[in-house]
Amino acid sequence: MYKTLLCVRYLRTRYIALASIISMTLGVATMIVVNSVMDGFSTDMRDRLRGILADVIVETNSLDGVPNTQDLKDRINRSVGKDIEGMTATVEIYAMLSVQYGSDWQSKPVTLIGIDPATKATVGPLSKYLVNTREGSIPDWELSPAAMAYRKEWTTRAQWMVDRWNHNPPPMEENKQVSFEEPESAEPLPAPDFDAESASDSPFDSKPQVAGKTNSVSNPFENGLEEKSFDKEEARDPGSPLKGRVYIGYGLVSFPYEDPDTGETKMFQIVKPGDDVKISTVTAGRPPEPTHFNATVVDLFKSEMSEHDSSLVFCNLEYLQEMRNMVDPESGEKSITSIQIKLKNPEQAAMVVSKLEEALPAGKFRVRTWEDKQGPLLAAVEVESAILNVLLFLIIAVAGFGILAIFYMITLEKTRDIGILKALGASSNGIMSIFLSYGLALGLVGSGVGVVVGLLFVRYINQIEKFITFVTGRKVFDQRIYYFPEIATHVEPMMVFWVALGAMIIAVLASILPARKAARFHPVESLRYE
Amino acid sequence: MTETISMPQPQLAAIAVEKAYRKDKHKVPVLRGIDVEVNKGEFLSIVGQSGSGKSTLMHLFGLLDTPDVGEIYLEGQQIDDLPEHARDQIRNHVFGFIFQFYHLLPELNLLENVLSPLMIRYSTWEYWKKRKQFKQDALEIIEKVGLSHRLKHRPSEMSGGEMQRAAIARALIAKPQILLADEPTGNLDSSTGKEIMDLLINLNEQEQLTIIMVTHDNSIAAQAHRTVRLREGQIEVLGKSKTTTASA
């Protein structure tokens, strides 16, 4: 009874000990915040990666792919058919994407994936990541009415420019420096509003060769417009979309900039649905030949994973197969390079992979889970998280040493009390347990407050980030650097439990030494202690 | 020197006790072969100059320390060689301590200080079950020492005399067989010291409580039944009884 009573009284009267646990409180709170942010980041990233990639991917070792897709699907079904929820065939190839901005062409390396949207939707929530497609709907390759209107507008304007150039070219000696002005009769169509972050927010003009009145170019229609706008077979109807259709990664055609007026980060978009882009890749077969084709952008792909958003272009599978000569001219059989599989139970991915590895020839196919495929990225996050945890736990360990030092002082201060208690018949173990309970109580208070502070911080982390940004004038969480538009968090209850428990154990461990010392005090010497 | 007592079995006895302290590398002898026997109900005073070993002898009697040589007997049983937990039990059950500087626990109020020996003696559960009885006992004792108006006061809020009376109440709550008082009036003015001595004499006479009192004040010592005078760790003069009782 006296142990509890003294422990409580020490807690209430020795504020210096409470001060010693502030570092423990901060350590616990920091660990909870960091783990929640890392976990939130990791969880969101994994969800998105998995949504894009599917649970299991069967890939051919050759970029030429394999014919007889149905046979491959049958073999997969025979092996693990009961575990499969959905399956889609794709062609994956490296390519160059060229987009025209003003009079410039911008080329970027991309991963071009030929998909069938209907079956792709069975292995992952594709529509969730398409900017102008309703989430949950089955995406297709048709342009939305808004995209069609926009396309018709700019193709009409472009055609007018071509006609004007052809019928009334400026004098040859002025060709190199000529200003184009719209005729009064040519009323521009109202631009459809595709996106809040469209050209109206932009500090630039996205179609200078059409809308700009004073841009100086050297014969802009020599080749650019025609190549950008029309396939030869479709030149008769310039407003209709091309045969090649693509969902293009948002990061490939959007660039962040800081609004000089508001200081906010906005996106400047140089390509919108309805625009055309040029894609260059290689054909299947020996030797691989370069091949180019134009495609109409149906929608923008925005997974918020900058790595994917700035590298993926989805194309209509059949057209890509055609462009890459992956269609057998005799049988009409089309080749594919990979099959994406969604499982009924994603936990069984490893088992499915091993079964498929047995069922498919190893030299020809490679079977991986989405985690295997994103191994380095996921491993980097894991390692970061582990290192941060170690470092932060050291903060709590340092707090433990603080407790040890202050406890040591308290035991010295309480030497005479210890002598009194021993004179009254208290055992050494009893004395020791007073200080151990005291340490445990401090640990409880420290980690309890730390948990509350940490959880509150996590709850309001984005508001806190905005406040710090406002106060310091420097962005803490820059959307241009990280994957996500805001700080993602995920609080794992067991993590909170272990962090709090670890802090309490450290507090108790730190109090063992002073408690042992107190227990060993000689009663007579303690009573004489000044 | 040996003091011989006619009683067949003293309540508490120190036989040929020697004790030395180490100070740096030097061994400082404090007690050099002390034989003292205390009978039940006796009021014994131990006097001597500073450093004569009187407090050390009291600590050895109260099992706060162990002799280097010699033995301590309680009711004929050697107690100085008992294991630590048994010594703790004897301190709690048999002895009551009163110190010159009161030695109350500063974090506890008067009532809690008085109850502290019982809190130590019983487990939390047992104490909780008997708490009402204990509180009643404590209130009676506190009333006896005249501190009923100070129940919730902490030591820092009490005078020296009040603190010493609180210490006496704490010593009595556990119903000890022997009261060990180390300079109980040493830190008090003469009138308050007299009050404390009257209280101790009362306890000795009315409740037949054995009291061993250490003091350097001869006039205080003279109020005891018998006085043992120490000089350089040895008994100098056999005490003369002021009021000789049958047991003395």
Side-chain angles (χ1 to χ4, degrees):
Chain A
M1 182 69 189
Y2 70 104
K3 298 169 237 175
T4 317
L5 184 64
L6 283 171
C7 181
V8 171
R9 291 294 158 83
Y10 286 168
L11 261 182
R12 283 169 51 182
T13 55
R14 292 288 171 279
Y15 294 114
I16 183 72
L18 285 173
S20 77
I21 58 170
I22 289 175
S23 49
M24 172 160 290
T25 299
L26 291 176
V28 168
T30 313
M31 275 195 84
I32 289 173
V33 171
V34 168
N35 273 295
S36 300
V37 170
M38 293 295 287
D39 201 27
F41 178 85
S42 176
T43 306
D44 266 29
M45 191 179 70
R46 292 170 84 92
D47 283 351
R48 286 170 189 184
L49 284 173
R50 197 170 144 215
I52 298 160
L53 293 174
D55 295 328
V56 174
I57 302 121
V58 177
E59 296 168 301
T60 60
N61 284 332
S62 166
L63 291 178
D64 291 352
V66 288
N68 205 347
T69 311
Q70 196 51 48
D71 176 55
L72 178 59
K73 284 183 177 176
D74 289 344
R75 288 166 78 173
I76 291 170
N77 272 324
R78 276 198 299 276
S79 176
V80 291
K82 64 180 181 353
D83 300 314
I84 292 175
E85 189 177 312
M87 193 161 32
T88 186
T90 65
V91 169
E92 193 170 324
I93 184 76
Y94 297 106
M96 291 296 288
L97 170 78
S98 302
V99 293
Q100 191 175 20
Y101 173 62
S103 58
D104 298 329
W105 280 95
Q106 297 183 1
S107 297
K108 291 177 183 177
V110 295
T111 301
L112 181 64
I113 306 174
I115 58 165
D116 167 32
T119 55
K120 172 66 183 169
T122 65
V123 300
L126 180 63
S127 61
K128 183 178 166 184
Y129 304 122
L130 296 177
V131 175
N132 298 301
T133 303
R134 188 169 51 82
E135 187 175 340
S137 64
I138 296 172
D140 55 28
W141 294 115
E142 296 304 319
L143 262 68
S144 66
M148 275 303 292
Y150 166 73
R151 182 177 177 79
K152 283 200 182 297
E153 177 211 339
W154 75 258
T155 49
T156 306
R157 286 183 173 198
Q159 192 57 53
W160 175 84
M161 285 292 202
V162 172
D163 293 345
R164 189 173 185 276
W165 182 276
N166 290 338
H167 293 109
N168 189 19
M172 286 305 288
E173 58 274 21
E174 295 177 16
N175 270 0
K176 287 181 182 173
Q177 289 294 321
V178 63
S179 293
F180 295 99
E181 292 188 14
E182 282 183 57
E184 287 177 8
S185 59
E187 288 293 324
L189 290 172
D193 185 16
F194 293 103
D195 195 321
E197 297 161 345
S198 64
S200 59
D201 293 331
S202 140
F204 314 102
D205 186 350
S206 64
K207 295 290 173 198
Q209 81 276 29
V210 176
K213 294 186 177 184
T214 56
N215 279 327
S216 298
V217 294
S218 56
N219 194 354
F221 310 118
E222 267 179 3
N223 47 33
L225 183 61
E226 192 175 348
E227 281 189 71
K228 176 176 163 55
S229 310
F230 313 116
D231 277 347
K232 283 171 190 170
E233 76 228 68
E234 292 172 303
R236 290 185 301 274
D237 186 5
S240 60
L242 306 180
K243 209 173 162 189
R245 312 281 170 90
V246 287
Y247 302 136
I248 201 163
Y250 187 77
L252 285 165
V253 292
S254 304
F255 304 96
Y257 71 96
E258 197 170 294
D259 190 313
D261 297 328
T262 62
E264 288 176 20
T265 301
K266 292 186 174 177
M267 298 302 285
F268 166 57
Q269 205 173 307
I270 61 168
V271 169
K272 291 194 278 190
D275 279 333
D276 290 342
V277 294
K278 188 181 281 293
I279 288 169
S280 308
T281 183
V282 291
T283 59
R286 297 279 77 76
E289 301 282 351
T291 179
H292 318 279
F293 61 93
N294 293 339
T296 300
V297 177
V298 175
D299 209 339
L300 297 178
F301 172 82
K302 188 178 183 184
S303 68
E304 303 286 7
M305 284 285 301
S306 67
E307 193 180 81
H308 285 130
D309 291 350
S310 58
S311 70
L312 294 187
V313 173
F314 293 95
C315 175
N316 43 347
L317 176 64
E318 291 193 351
Y319 190 68
L320 181 60
Q321 286 168 323
E322 201 179 306
M323 289 293 105
R324 290 199 63 216
N325 297 337
M326 294 174 89
V327 185
D328 188 85
E330 291 173 8
S331 63
E333 208 169 82
K334 294 168 180 172
S335 297
I336 53 136
T337 61
S338 65
I339 286 187
Q340 296 183 356
I341 300 168
K342 185 179 184 185
L343 300 177
K344 288 173 184 164
N345 179 6
E347 303 291 321
Q348 292 181 325
M351 184 269 292
V352 169
V353 166
S354 66
K355 278 188 180 176
L356 286 175
E357 280 173 341
E358 284 173 22
L360 301 170
K364 211 167 180 181
F365 295 98
R366 188 162 46 154
V367 187
R368 291 190 284 177
T369 63
W370 66 273
E371 284 171 309
D372 297 335
K373 199 162 178 183
Q374 294 295 329
L377 181 61
L378 294 174
V381 173
E382 295 286 327
V383 168
E384 259 178 52
S385 182
I387 290 173
L388 270 174
N389 271 309
V390 169
L391 292 176
L392 290 171
F393 207 72
L394 285 178
I395 292 177
I396 298 180
V398 170
F401 282 104
I403 289 177
L404 191 150
I406 287 177
F407 258 50
Y408 217 84
M409 280 170 53
I410 289 175
T411 49
L412 285 180
E413 189 194 343
K414 291 286 155 202
T415 301
R416 188 179 281 188
D417 292 8
I418 292 164
I420 297 167
L421 288 167
K422 285 202 165 180
L424 296 177
S427 64
S428 295
N429 285 340
I431 301 290
M432 191 163 161
S433 58
I434 291 174
F435 288 92
L436 287 179
S437 320
Y438 192 26
L440 178 64
L442 286 179
L444 270 171
V445 174
S447 55
V449 175
V451 166
V452 172
V453 171
L455 292 178
L456 283 174
F457 199 101
V458 170
R459 173 73 181 78
Y460 296 105
I461 194 162
N462 285 299
Q463 288 89 331
I464 292 168
E465 184 267 329
K466 284 188 179 72
F467 176 73
I468 295 172
T469 303
F470 172 74
V471 170
T472 61
R474 173 171 287 204
K475 268 202 167 296
V476 178
F477 183 81
D478 194 337
Q479 297 158 8
R480 289 177 293 185
I481 299 171
Y482 300 99
Y483 286 112
F484 306 108
E486 62 176 16
I487 304 170
T489 57
H490 178 249
V491 177
E492 183 61 51
M494 283 311 287
M495 175 274 293
V496 176
F497 170 76
W498 285 117
V499 168
L501 185 69
M504 277 188 276
I505 289 172
I506 283 185
V508 173
L509 287 177
S511 58
I512 285 179
L513 204 63
R516 275 169 63 93
K517 183 178 172 64
R520 287 176 181 176
F521 278 155
H522 192 281
V524 173
E525 288 170 16
S526 304
L527 288 170
R528 284 182 179 152
Y529 185 80
E530 294 293 335
Chain B
M1 282 191 233
T2 306
E3 185 195 19
T4 52
I5 302 292
S6 56
M7 292 298 291
Q9 184 176 283
Q11 190 179 19
L12 190 64
I15 309 295
V17 166
E18 290 180 22
K19 182 73 183 175
Y21 290 115
R22 289 206 164 272
K23 206 167 187 181
D24 298 327
K25 290 179 180 176
H26 303 289
K27 191 176 176 185
V28 181
V30 180
L31 296 175
R32 306 162 190 243
I34 297 283
D35 291 302
V36 177
E37 293 180 349
V38 185
N39 295 317
K40 190 171 174 56
E42 187 179 12
F43 191 159
L44 175 74
S45 63
I46 303 171
V47 291
Q49 292 177 328
S50 294
S52 59
K54 54 187 187 299
S55 290
T56 302
L57 181 59
M58 201 200 76
H59 292 151
L60 294 178
F61 273 139
L63 297 184
L64 291 172
D65 210 345
T66 49
D68 297 337
V69 178
E71 298 99 38
I72 307 291
Y73 288 89
L74 174 69
E75 308 281 6
Q77 295 282 322
Q78 189 177 349
I79 56 172
D80 61 282
D81 60 349
L82 291 172
E84 196 184 326
H85 68 89
R87 293 155 60 87
D88 295 337
Q89 294 269 313
I90 290 173
R91 274 204 300 276
N92 184 262
H93 285 79
V94 177
F95 297 113
F97 289 91
I98 304 169
F99 299 100
Q100 180 181 357
F101 296 104
Y102 333 119
H103 287 337
L104 299 172
L105 293 165
E107 272 80 15
L108 308 185
N109 62 31
L110 168 64
L111 183 60
E112 290 162 343
N113 260 297
V114 170
L115 285 167
S116 57
L118 297 178
M119 293 183 196
I120 290 170
R121 182 179 297 178
Y122 296 101
S123 68
T124 304
W125 176 238
E126 282 174 319
Y127 181 86
W128 188 252
K129 280 195 295 186
K130 298 176 181 173
R131 69 189 186 284
K132 285 182 183 163
Q133 180 58 47
F134 291 157
K135 189 175 178 184
Q136 189 58 40
D137 293 350
L139 290 174
E140 281 174 22
I141 291 170
I142 289 168
E143 192 176 355
K144 194 186 282 183
V145 298
L147 288 177
S148 298
H149 60 296
R150 296 287 201 189
L151 280 182
K152 296 290 176 187
H153 288 228
R154 293 208 174 172
S156 57
E157 298 161 343
M158 294 193 280
S159 69
E162 285 172 331
M163 282 196 276
Q164 196 60 292
R165 279 186 278 163
I168 292 170
R170 181 181 65 185
L172 296 178
I173 189 76
K175 297 185 174 59
Q177 295 171 31
I178 300 164
L179 199 61
L180 300 172
D182 188 0
E183 304 264 17
T185 60
N187 212 31
L188 304 173
D189 60 64
S190 56
S191 68
T192 315
K194 185 175 179 311
E195 280 176 27
I196 297 298
M197 278 308 297
D198 290 346
L199 194 59
L200 292 178
I201 290 165
N202 254 343
L203 287 168
N204 173 249
E205 287 178 350
Q206 290 177 7
E207 299 181 22
Q208 291 295 298
L209 185 65
T210 306
I211 299 177
I212 301 172
M213 179 179 70
V214 167
T215 180
H216 63 273
D217 187 332
N218 286 330
S219 63
I220 299 285
Q223 296 178 59
H225 297 156
R226 188 160 56 96
T227 300
V228 171
R229 186 175 297 279
L230 294 184
R231 186 185 175 88
E232 294 179 356
Q234 292 181 311
I235 293 177
E236 185 185 49
V237 179
L238 287 181
K240 68 174 175 61
S241 300
K242 178 191 162 230
T243 51
T244 309
T245 63
S247 58

